[in-house]
Amino acid sequence: PDGQVEELTLLDNGAGADIRKNDGIYSRYFFGFSADGRYGVSVKVDNSHGDAGHIVIQRGSRSGAPPMDPGTGHTDGSNVHKEPLEQFQRMATGGVFGVSGVPSGGVTTRDVLPPSRVDDLAVREVSYHNATVTLAWTALGDDFDQGGPAHYVDIRDGRHFDQLADDFHGSTQVNQVLLGSLT
């Protein structure tokens, strides 16, 4: 509504708004609505430096299908390579849409949006001797995939997933060494 332009880099990393990594679909959340009104969208694709490429899979000689690993159903990678694309730039408009109900001062003035989902939580180290577990994950942003990582981490313990899903804040907060089996 105020004529300002905001640029977002769309991502294909399987995090935040993007569902599947490297599937060729680029996504990003946008919450920069400053007021009720009409907003326009345009997309610019820029390969002026020649960094973009496309994946080429060489087909098998007999069946026309790529060689697959029978155990995983995936190619072994020996028949896949990236070929560079020529330099190009493209721009397309996505139309205009109306937004209403924007809080006074805009969406970004209040912290009402949750952090993005964690989908790569992993146990990095388990020490029976020290009775510790080291966890690792990617913190994408404080408001879904926007902004920096949330300023706090809240880890809770529950005997069953349903307990955590139904009453996360009522579950035991992990801020001390827990006793018991780590298996």
Side-chain angles (χ1 to χ4, degrees), residues 17-181:
D18 191 58
I19 296 172
R20 188 171 297 122
K21 183 177 182 175
N22 296 328
D23 63 356
I25 299 173
Y26 290 75
S27 311
R28 195 74 183 263
Y29 290 114
F30 176 74
F31 302 109
F33 303 109
S34 56
D36 290 357
R38 294 167 47 100
Y39 289 82
V41 176
S42 63
V43 176
K44 177 183 175 185
V45 179
D46 185 352
N47 187 40
S48 58
H49 297 291
D51 297 329
H54 65 101
I55 304 298
V56 175
I57 302 174
Q58 295 173 338
R59 301 289 180 187
S61 58
R62 293 184 201 156
S63 66
M68 298 286 190
D69 177 343
T72 66
H74 298 100
T75 67
D76 62 8
S78 64
N79 62 322
V80 178
H81 67 277
K82 179 180 173 182
E83 289 187 0
L85 293 171
E86 293 183 20
Q87 295 178 346
F88 66 88
Q89 286 185 334
R90 304 284 187 275
M91 187 163 183
T93 59
V96 176
F97 59 94
V99 175
S100 61
V102 175
S104 177
V107 174
T108 58
T109 60
R110 298 186 336 201
D111 190 16
V112 296
L113 301 170
S116 190
R117 71 185 185 276
V118 172
D119 59 3
D120 63 349
L121 178 64
V123 175
R124 293 288 183 214
E125 184 179 342
V126 176
S127 171
Y128 287 97
H129 177 72
N130 295 325
T132 60
V133 175
T134 303
L135 303 174
W137 64 91
T138 304
L140 299 171
D142 184 30
D143 297 317
F144 290 107
D145 62 359
Q146 304 293 305
H151 64 277
Y152 67 93
V153 174
D154 192 0
I155 300 176
R156 302 286 175 142
D157 175 41
R159 306 235 356 114
H160 304 283
F161 176 77
D162 290 341
Q163 174 190 358
L164 292 170
D166 294 340
D167 187 19
F168 181 79
H169 292 289
S171 300
T172 306
Q173 188 171 23
V174 177
N175 57 6
Q176 61 189 12
V177 175
L178 300 176
L179 301 176
S181 173

